[in-house]
Amino acid sequence: MRTLIFIAVGVLLVGIAMWLARPGRRRPVAAVFSVGWLAAVWWNLRTGMSHGYSLQEELPIQAAIYVVPVALAWWLARKTRH
């Protein structure tokens, strides 16, 4: 459930960021979002590992949490590029 919440929050943040950004500025917004979301995922990874999960258990989950919103951000940035 926590994984779905993180993915949903990421998708929501991407939607807000792309809605607020002008079409010509969406690629830099996607880049900034990618770095910021990586920091959030890193924090979530550390939190999971501090609760006893191994890196091997956490890595696939964190990859999904990172890839889904970031892929959406870059897709939206390319789709609306002028």
Coordinates of all heavy atoms in Angstrom, one line a residue:
M1 N 0.8 -1.2 0.0 CA 0.0 0.0 0.0 C 0.9 1.3 0.0 O 0.6 2.2 -0.7 CB -0.9 -0.1 1.2 CG -1.9 1.1 1.3 SD -3.0 0.9 -0.1 CE -4.2 2.2 0.4
R2 N 1.9 1.2 0.8 CA 2.8 2.4 0.9 C 3.5 2.7 -0.5 O 3.6 3.8 -0.9 CB 3.9 2.1 1.9 CG 4.8 3.2 2.1 CD 5.8 2.9 3.3 NE 6.9 3.7 3.3 CZ 7.0 4.8 4.1 NH1 6.0 5.1 4.9 NH2 8.1 5.5 4.1
T3 N 3.8 1.6 -1.2 CA 4.4 1.8 -2.6 C 3.4 2.5 -3.5 O 3.8 3.4 -4.2 CB 4.7 0.4 -3.1 OG1 5.6 -0.3 -2.3 CG2 5.3 0.5 -4.5
L4 N 2.2 2.1 -3.5 CA 1.2 2.7 -4.3 C 0.9 4.2 -4.0 O 0.7 5.1 -4.8 CB -0.2 2.0 -4.3 CG -0.1 0.6 -4.9 CD1 -1.5 -0.1 -4.7 CD2 0.2 0.6 -6.4
I5 N 1.0 4.5 -2.7 CA 0.9 5.9 -2.2 C 2.0 6.7 -2.7 O 1.8 7.8 -3.2 CB 0.8 5.9 -0.7 CG1 -0.6 5.3 -0.2 CG2 0.9 7.4 -0.2 CD1 -0.7 5.1 1.3
F6 N 3.3 6.2 -2.6 CA 4.4 6.9 -3.1 C 4.3 7.2 -4.6 O 4.6 8.3 -5.1 CB 5.7 6.2 -2.8 CG 6.4 6.7 -1.6 CD1 6.1 6.1 -0.3 CD2 7.3 7.7 -1.6 CE1 6.7 6.6 0.8 CE2 7.9 8.2 -0.5 CZ 7.6 7.6 0.7
I7 N 3.9 6.2 -5.4 CA 3.8 6.3 -6.8 C 2.7 7.4 -7.1 O 2.9 8.2 -8.0 CB 3.5 5.0 -7.5 CG1 4.7 4.1 -7.4 CG2 3.1 5.2 -8.9 CD1 4.5 2.7 -7.9
A8 N 1.6 7.3 -6.4 CA 0.5 8.2 -6.6 C 0.9 9.7 -6.3 O 0.6 10.6 -7.1 CB -0.7 7.9 -5.8
V9 N 1.7 9.8 -5.2 CA 2.2 11.2 -4.9 C 3.1 11.7 -6.0 O 3.0 12.8 -6.4 CB 2.8 11.2 -3.5 CG1 3.6 12.4 -3.2 CG2 1.8 11.0 -2.4
G10 N 4.0 10.8 -6.5 CA 4.9 11.2 -7.5 C 4.2 11.6 -8.8 O 4.5 12.6 -9.4
V11 N 3.2 10.9 -9.2 CA 2.4 11.2 -10.4 C 1.6 12.5 -10.2 O 1.5 13.3 -11.1 CB 1.4 10.0 -10.7 CG1 0.4 10.4 -11.7 CG2 2.2 8.8 -11.2
L12 N 1.1 12.7 -9.0 CA 0.4 14.0 -8.7 C 1.3 15.1 -8.7 O 1.0 16.2 -9.3 CB -0.3 13.9 -7.3 CG -1.0 15.1 -6.8 CD1 -2.3 15.3 -7.7 CD2 -1.5 14.9 -5.4
L13 N 2.5 15.0 -8.2 CA 3.5 16.1 -8.2 C 3.9 16.4 -9.7 O 4.1 17.6 -10.0 CB 4.7 15.7 -7.4 CG 4.5 15.7 -5.9 CD1 5.8 15.2 -5.1 CD2 4.2 17.1 -5.4
V14 N 4.1 15.3 -10.5 CA 4.5 15.6 -11.9 C 3.3 16.3 -12.6 O 3.6 17.3 -13.3 CB 4.7 14.2 -12.6 CG1 4.7 14.4 -14.1 CG2 6.0 13.6 -12.2
G15 N 2.1 15.9 -12.3 CA 1.0 16.6 -12.9 C 0.9 18.1 -12.6 O 0.7 18.9 -13.4
I16 N 1.1 18.4 -11.3 CA 1.1 19.8 -10.9 C 2.3 20.5 -11.5 O 2.1 21.7 -12.0 CB 1.2 19.8 -9.3 CG1 -0.2 19.3 -8.7 CG2 1.4 21.2 -8.8 CD1 -0.1 19.1 -7.2
A17 N 3.5 19.9 -11.5 CA 4.6 20.6 -12.0 C 4.5 20.9 -13.5 O 4.8 22.0 -14.0 CB 5.9 19.8 -11.8
M18 N 4.0 20.0 -14.2 CA 3.8 20.2 -15.7 C 2.7 21.1 -16.0 O 2.7 21.8 -17.0 CB 3.6 18.8 -16.4 CG 4.8 17.9 -16.4 SD 6.2 18.7 -17.2 CE 7.5 17.7 -16.7
W19 N 1.7 21.1 -15.2 CA 0.6 22.0 -15.4 C 1.0 23.5 -15.1 O 0.6 24.4 -15.8 CB -0.6 21.7 -14.4 CG -1.8 22.5 -14.5 CD1 -2.6 22.7 -15.6 CD2 -2.3 23.4 -13.5 NE1 -3.6 23.6 -15.3 CE2 -3.5 24.0 -14.0 CE3 -1.9 23.7 -12.2 CZ2 -4.2 24.9 -13.3 CZ3 -2.7 24.5 -11.5 CH2 -3.8 25.2 -12.0
L20 N 1.9 23.7 -14.1 CA 2.4 25.0 -13.8 C 3.4 25.5 -14.8 O 3.6 26.7 -14.9 CB 2.9 25.1 -12.4 CG 1.8 24.9 -11.3 CD1 2.5 24.8 -9.9 CD2 0.8 26.0 -11.3
A21 N 4.2 24.6 -15.4 CA 5.3 25.0 -16.2 C 4.8 25.4 -17.6 O 3.8 24.8 -18.2 CB 6.3 23.8 -16.4
R22 N 5.4 26.4 -18.2 CA 5.1 26.7 -19.6 C 5.7 25.6 -20.5 O 6.6 24.9 -20.1 CB 5.8 28.0 -19.9 CG 5.1 29.2 -19.3 CD 5.8 30.5 -19.8 NE 6.2 31.2 -18.6 CZ 7.4 31.7 -18.4 NH1 8.3 31.6 -19.4 NH2 7.8 32.2 -17.3
P23 N 5.1 25.4 -21.6 CA 5.5 24.3 -22.5 C 7.0 24.3 -22.8 O 7.6 23.3 -22.9 CB 4.7 24.5 -23.8 CG 3.4 25.2 -23.3 CD 3.9 26.1 -22.2
G24 N 7.6 25.5 -23.0 CA 9.0 25.6 -23.3 C 9.9 25.2 -22.2 O 11.1 25.0 -22.3
R25 N 9.4 25.2 -21.0 CA 10.2 25.0 -19.8 C 10.0 23.6 -19.1 O 10.5 23.3 -18.1 CB 9.9 26.0 -18.7 CG 10.1 27.5 -19.1 CD 11.6 27.8 -19.3 NE 12.2 27.6 -18.0 CZ 13.6 27.4 -17.9 NH1 14.3 27.5 -19.0 NH2 14.1 27.3 -16.7
R26 N 9.2 22.7 -19.8 CA 8.9 21.5 -19.2 C 10.1 20.5 -19.2 O 10.1 19.7 -18.3 CB 7.7 20.9 -20.0 CG 6.5 21.7 -19.6 CD 5.2 21.0 -20.1 NE 4.1 21.9 -19.7 CZ 2.9 21.9 -20.2 NH1 2.7 21.0 -21.2 NH2 2.0 22.6 -19.7
R27 N 11.0 20.6 -20.1 CA 12.2 19.7 -20.0 C 13.0 20.0 -18.8 O 13.4 19.1 -18.0 CB 13.0 19.7 -21.3 CG 12.2 19.1 -22.4 CD 13.0 19.0 -23.6 NE 13.9 17.8 -23.5 CZ 14.7 17.4 -24.4 NH1 14.9 18.1 -25.5 NH2 15.4 16.3 -24.3
P28 N 13.3 21.3 -18.5 CA 14.1 21.5 -17.3 C 13.3 21.2 -16.0 O 13.9 20.7 -15.0 CB 14.3 23.1 -17.3 CG 14.2 23.4 -18.7 CD 13.2 22.5 -19.3
V29 N 12.0 21.3 -16.0 CA 11.1 20.9 -14.9 C 11.2 19.4 -14.7 O 11.3 18.9 -13.6 CB 9.7 21.4 -15.1 CG1 8.7 20.8 -14.1 CG2 9.6 22.9 -15.0
A30 N 11.2 18.7 -15.8 CA 11.3 17.2 -15.7 C 12.7 16.8 -15.1 O 12.8 15.9 -14.3 CB 11.1 16.6 -17.1
A31 N 13.7 17.5 -15.5 CA 15.1 17.2 -15.0 C 15.1 17.5 -13.5 O 15.7 16.7 -12.7 CB 16.1 18.0 -15.7
V32 N 14.6 18.7 -13.1 CA 14.6 19.0 -11.6 C 13.8 18.0 -10.9 O 14.2 17.6 -9.8 CB 14.1 20.5 -11.4 CG1 13.9 20.7 -10.0 CG2 15.1 21.4 -12.0
F33 N 12.6 17.7 -11.4 CA 11.8 16.7 -10.7 C 12.5 15.3 -10.6 O 12.4 14.7 -9.5 CB 10.5 16.5 -11.5 CG 9.6 15.4 -10.9 CD1 8.9 15.6 -9.8 CD2 9.6 14.1 -11.4 CE1 8.1 14.6 -9.2 CE2 8.9 13.1 -10.8 CZ 8.1 13.3 -9.7
S34 N 13.2 14.9 -11.6 CA 13.9 13.6 -11.6 C 14.9 13.6 -10.4 O 15.0 12.6 -9.7 CB 14.7 13.4 -12.9 OG 13.7 13.3 -14.0
V35 N 15.7 14.7 -10.3 CA 16.7 14.7 -9.2 C 16.0 14.8 -7.8 O 16.4 14.1 -6.9 CB 17.6 15.9 -9.4 CG1 18.5 16.1 -8.2 CG2 18.4 15.8 -10.7
G36 N 15.0 15.6 -7.7 CA 14.2 15.7 -6.4 C 13.5 14.4 -6.1 O 13.5 14.0 -4.9
W37 N 13.0 13.7 -7.0 CA 12.3 12.5 -6.8 C 13.3 11.4 -6.4 O 13.0 10.5 -5.6 CB 11.4 12.1 -7.9 CG 10.4 11.0 -7.6 CD1 10.4 9.8 -8.1 CD2 9.4 11.0 -6.7 NE1 9.4 9.0 -7.6 CE2 8.7 9.8 -6.7 CE3 8.9 12.0 -5.8 CZ2 7.6 9.5 -5.8 CZ3 7.8 11.8 -5.0 CH2 7.2 10.5 -5.0
L38 N 14.5 11.5 -7.0 CA 15.5 10.5 -6.6 C 15.9 10.7 -5.1 O 16.1 9.7 -4.4 CB 16.7 10.7 -7.5 CG 17.9 9.7 -7.2 CD1 17.5 8.3 -7.5 CD2 19.1 10.1 -8.1
A39 N 15.9 11.9 -4.7 CA 16.2 12.2 -3.3 C 15.1 11.6 -2.4 O 15.4 11.0 -1.3 CB 16.4 13.7 -3.0
A40 N 13.9 11.8 -2.8 CA 12.7 11.2 -2.0 C 12.8 9.7 -2.0 O 12.6 9.1 -0.9 CB 11.4 11.7 -2.6
V41 N 13.1 9.1 -3.1 CA 13.2 7.6 -3.2 C 14.4 7.1 -2.4 O 14.3 6.1 -1.7 CB 13.3 7.2 -4.7 CG1 13.6 5.7 -4.8 CG2 12.0 7.5 -5.4
W42 N 15.5 7.8 -2.4 CA 16.6 7.5 -1.6 C 16.3 7.5 -0.1 O 16.6 6.6 0.7 CB 17.8 8.4 -1.9 CG 19.0 8.1 -1.0 CD1 19.4 8.7 0.1 CD2 20.0 7.0 -1.3 NE1 20.6 8.1 0.6 CE2 20.9 7.1 -0.3 CE3 20.1 6.1 -2.2 CZ2 22.0 6.2 -0.2 CZ3 21.1 5.2 -2.2 CH2 22.1 5.3 -1.1
W43 N 15.5 8.5 0.3 CA 15.1 8.6 1.7 C 14.2 7.4 2.1 O 14.3 6.8 3.1 CB 14.3 9.9 2.0 CG 13.7 10.0 3.3 CD1 14.2 10.2 4.5 CD2 12.3 9.7 3.5 NE1 13.2 10.1 5.5 CE2 12.1 9.8 4.9 CE3 11.2 9.4 2.7 CZ2 10.8 9.6 5.5 CZ3 10.0 9.2 3.3 CH2 9.8 9.3 4.6
N44 N 13.3 7.1 1.2 CA 12.4 6.0 1.4 C 13.2 4.6 1.5 O 12.8 3.8 2.3 CB 11.3 5.9 0.3 CG 10.2 5.0 0.6 OD1 9.7 4.9 1.7 ND2 9.8 4.2 -0.4
L45 N 14.2 4.5 0.6 CA 15.0 3.3 0.7 C 15.7 3.2 2.0 O 15.7 2.1 2.6 CB 16.1 3.4 -0.5 CG 17.1 2.3 -0.4 CD1 16.5 0.9 -0.8 CD2 18.2 2.6 -1.4
R46 N 16.3 4.3 2.5 CA 17.0 4.3 3.8 C 16.0 3.9 4.9 O 16.3 3.2 5.9 CB 17.7 5.6 4.0 CG 18.9 5.8 3.2 CD 19.6 7.1 3.4 NE 19.6 7.4 4.9 CZ 20.6 7.7 5.6 NH1 21.8 7.8 5.0 NH2 20.6 7.9 6.8
T47 N 14.8 4.5 4.8 CA 13.8 4.2 5.8 C 13.4 2.7 5.9 O 13.4 2.1 6.9 CB 12.5 5.1 5.6 OG1 12.9 6.4 5.6 CG2 11.5 4.8 6.6
G48 N 13.2 2.1 4.7 CA 12.9 0.7 4.6 C 14.0 -0.1 5.2 O 13.8 -1.1 5.9
M49 N 15.2 0.2 4.8 CA 16.4 -0.6 5.3 C 16.6 -0.4 6.8 O 17.0 -1.3 7.5 CB 17.6 -0.2 4.5 CG 17.6 -0.7 3.1 SD 19.0 -0.2 2.1 CE 20.3 -1.2 2.9
S50 N 16.2 0.8 7.4 CA 16.4 0.9 8.8 C 15.3 0.2 9.6 O 15.4 -0.1 10.8 CB 16.3 2.4 9.2 OG 14.9 2.9 9.0
H51 N 14.2 -0.3 8.9 CA 13.2 -1.1 9.5 C 13.4 -2.6 9.3 O 12.5 -3.4 9.5 CB 11.8 -0.7 9.0 CG 11.4 0.6 9.6 ND1 11.5 1.8 8.9 CD2 10.8 0.9 10.7 CE1 11.0 2.8 9.7 NE2 10.6 2.3 10.8
G52 N 14.6 -2.9 8.8 CA 15.0 -4.3 8.7 C 14.9 -5.0 7.4 O 15.2 -6.2 7.2
Y53 N 14.5 -4.3 6.3 CA 14.4 -4.8 5.0 C 15.8 -4.8 4.4 O 16.6 -3.8 4.6 CB 13.4 -4.1 4.1 CG 12.0 -4.3 4.5 CD1 11.4 -3.3 5.3 CD2 11.3 -5.4 4.3 CE1 10.0 -3.4 5.7 CE2 10.0 -5.6 4.7 CZ 9.4 -4.6 5.4 OH 8.1 -4.7 5.8
S54 N 16.1 -5.7 3.6 CA 17.5 -5.8 2.9 C 17.4 -4.9 1.6 O 16.4 -4.6 1.1 CB 17.9 -7.2 2.6 OG 17.1 -7.7 1.6
L55 N 18.6 -4.6 1.2 CA 18.7 -3.8 -0.1 C 18.1 -4.6 -1.2 O 17.4 -4.1 -2.1 CB 20.2 -3.5 -0.4 CG 20.4 -2.7 -1.6 CD1 19.7 -1.3 -1.6 CD2 21.9 -2.5 -1.8
Q56 N 18.3 -5.9 -1.2 CA 17.8 -6.8 -2.2 C 16.3 -6.8 -2.3 O 15.7 -6.9 -3.3 CB 18.3 -8.2 -2.0 CG 17.9 -9.2 -3.1 CD 18.5 -10.6 -2.8 OE1 19.1 -10.9 -1.8 NE2 18.4 -11.5 -3.8
E57 N 15.6 -6.7 -1.1 CA 14.2 -6.6 -1.0 C 13.7 -5.2 -1.5 O 12.6 -5.1 -2.1 CB 13.7 -6.9 0.4 CG 13.9 -8.3 0.9 CD 13.6 -8.4 2.3 OE1 14.1 -7.6 3.1 OE2 12.9 -9.4 2.6
E58 N 14.4 -4.2 -1.1 CA 13.9 -2.8 -1.3 C 14.2 -2.3 -2.7 O 13.4 -1.5 -3.2 CB 14.6 -1.9 -0.3 CG 14.1 -1.9 1.1 CD 12.7 -1.3 1.2 OE1 12.5 -0.2 0.6 OE2 11.8 -1.9 1.8
L59 N 15.3 -2.7 -3.4 CA 15.7 -2.1 -4.6 C 14.6 -2.2 -5.7 O 14.3 -1.2 -6.4 CB 17.0 -2.7 -5.1 CG 17.9 -1.8 -5.9 CD1 18.1 -0.5 -5.2 CD2 19.2 -2.5 -6.1
P60 N 14.0 -3.4 -6.0 CA 12.9 -3.4 -7.0 C 11.7 -2.5 -6.7 O 11.2 -1.9 -7.6 CB 12.5 -4.9 -7.1 CG 13.5 -5.6 -6.3 CD 14.2 -4.7 -5.4
I61 N 11.4 -2.4 -5.5 CA 10.3 -1.6 -5.1 C 10.6 -0.1 -5.3 O 9.8 0.7 -5.9 CB 9.9 -1.8 -3.6 CG1 9.3 -3.2 -3.5 CG2 8.8 -0.8 -3.1 CD1 9.3 -3.7 -2.1
Q62 N 11.8 0.3 -4.9 CA 12.2 1.7 -5.0 C 12.4 2.0 -6.5 O 12.2 3.2 -6.9 CB 13.5 1.9 -4.3 CG 13.4 1.6 -2.8 CD 12.3 2.4 -2.1 OE1 12.0 3.5 -2.4 NE2 11.6 1.7 -1.2
A63 N 12.8 1.1 -7.3 CA 13.0 1.3 -8.7 C 11.6 1.6 -9.4 O 11.5 2.6 -10.2 CB 13.6 0.1 -9.4
A64 N 10.6 0.9 -9.0 CA 9.2 1.2 -9.5 C 8.8 2.5 -9.0 O 8.2 3.3 -9.8 CB 8.3 0.1 -9.0
I65 N 9.0 2.9 -7.8 CA 8.6 4.1 -7.2 C 9.3 5.3 -8.0 O 8.7 6.3 -8.2 CB 8.9 4.2 -5.7 CG1 8.0 3.3 -4.9 CG2 8.7 5.6 -5.2 CD1 8.3 3.2 -3.4
Y66 N 10.5 5.1 -8.4 CA 11.2 6.1 -9.1 C 10.8 6.2 -10.6 O 10.6 7.3 -11.1 CB 12.7 5.9 -9.0 CG 13.5 7.0 -9.7 CD1 13.7 8.2 -9.2 CD2 14.1 6.7 -10.9 CE1 14.4 9.2 -9.9 CE2 14.8 7.6 -11.6 CZ 15.0 8.9 -11.1 OH 15.7 9.9 -11.7
V67 N 10.8 5.1 -11.2 CA 10.6 5.0 -12.7 C 9.2 5.5 -13.1 O 9.2 6.2 -14.1 CB 10.9 3.6 -13.2 CG1 10.5 3.4 -14.7 CG2 12.4 3.3 -13.1
V68 N 8.2 5.1 -12.5 CA 6.9 5.5 -13.0 C 6.6 7.0 -13.0 O 6.3 7.5 -14.1 CB 5.8 4.8 -12.1 CG1 4.4 5.3 -12.5 CG2 5.8 3.3 -12.3
P69 N 6.9 7.8 -12.0 CA 6.7 9.2 -12.1 C 7.7 9.9 -13.0 O 7.3 10.8 -13.7 CB 6.8 9.7 -10.6 CG 6.5 8.5 -9.8 CD 7.0 7.4 -10.5
V70 N 8.9 9.5 -13.0 CA 9.9 10.1 -13.8 C 9.7 9.8 -15.3 O 9.8 10.7 -16.1 CB 11.4 9.7 -13.3 CG1 12.4 10.1 -14.3 CG2 11.7 10.2 -12.0
A71 N 9.3 8.6 -15.6 CA 8.9 8.3 -17.0 C 7.8 9.2 -17.5 O 7.8 9.7 -18.6 CB 8.6 6.8 -17.1
L72 N 6.8 9.3 -16.6 CA 5.7 10.2 -16.9 C 6.1 11.6 -17.1 O 5.7 12.3 -18.1 CB 4.6 10.1 -15.8 CG 3.4 11.0 -16.0 CD1 2.6 10.6 -17.3 CD2 2.5 11.0 -14.8
A73 N 7.0 12.1 -16.3 CA 7.5 13.5 -16.4 C 8.2 13.7 -17.7 O 7.9 14.7 -18.4 CB 8.4 13.8 -15.3
W74 N 9.0 12.8 -18.1 CA 9.8 13.0 -19.4 C 8.8 12.8 -20.6 O 9.0 13.4 -21.6 CB 11.0 12.0 -19.4 CG 12.1 12.6 -18.6 CD1 12.4 12.1 -17.3 CD2 12.9 13.7 -18.9 NE1 13.4 12.9 -16.8 CE2 13.8 13.8 -17.8 CE3 13.0 14.5 -19.9 CZ2 14.7 14.8 -17.7 CZ3 14.0 15.5 -19.9 CH2 14.8 15.7 -18.8
W75 N 7.9 11.9 -20.5 CA 6.9 11.7 -21.5 C 6.1 13.0 -21.8 O 5.9 13.4 -22.9 CB 6.0 10.5 -21.2 CG 5.0 10.2 -22.3 CD1 5.2 9.7 -23.5 CD2 3.6 10.6 -22.3 NE1 4.1 9.6 -24.3 CE2 3.0 10.2 -23.5 CE3 2.8 11.2 -21.3 CZ2 1.7 10.3 -23.8 CZ3 1.4 11.3 -21.6 CH2 0.9 10.9 -22.8
L76 N 5.6 13.6 -20.7 CA 4.9 14.8 -20.8 C 5.7 15.9 -21.3 O 5.3 16.8 -22.1 CB 4.3 15.2 -19.4 CG 3.1 14.3 -18.9 CD1 2.7 14.7 -17.5 CD2 1.9 14.4 -19.9
A77 N 7.0 16.0 -20.9 CA 7.9 17.0 -21.4 C 8.1 16.9 -22.9 O 8.2 17.9 -23.6 CB 9.2 16.9 -20.6
R78 N 8.3 15.7 -23.4 CA 8.5 15.5 -24.8 C 7.2 15.7 -25.6 O 7.2 16.2 -26.7 CB 8.9 14.0 -25.1 CG 10.4 13.8 -24.8 CD 10.8 12.6 -25.3 NE 10.8 12.7 -26.8 CZ 11.6 12.0 -27.6 NH1 12.5 11.2 -27.1 NH2 11.6 12.2 -28.9
K79 N 6.1 15.3 -25.0 CA 4.8 15.4 -25.7 C 4.4 16.8 -26.0 O 3.8 17.2 -27.0 CB 3.7 14.7 -24.9 CG 2.3 14.7 -25.5 CD 1.3 14.0 -24.6 CE 0.0 14.1 -25.2 NZ -1.1 14.3 -24.3
T80 N 4.7 17.7 -25.1 CA 4.3 19.1 -25.2 C 5.4 20.0 -25.7 O 5.2 21.2 -25.6 CB 3.7 19.6 -23.8 OG1 4.8 19.5 -22.9 CG2 2.5 18.8 -23.4
R81 N 6.5 19.5 -26.1 CA 7.6 20.3 -26.5 C 7.3 21.0 -27.8 O 6.7 20.4 -28.8 CB 8.8 19.4 -26.7 CG 10.1 20.2 -27.0 CD 11.3 19.3 -27.0 NE 11.1 18.4 -28.2 CZ 12.0 17.5 -28.6 NH1 13.1 17.4 -27.9 NH2 11.9 16.8 -29.7
H82 N 7.7 22.3 -27.9 CA 7.4 23.0 -29.2 C 8.7 23.3 -29.9 O 9.7 23.6 -29.5 CB 6.8 24.4 -28.8 CG 5.3 24.2 -28.4 ND1 4.9 23.8 -27.2 CD2 4.2 24.4 -29.1 CE1 3.6 23.7 -27.1 NE2 3.2 24.1 -28.3

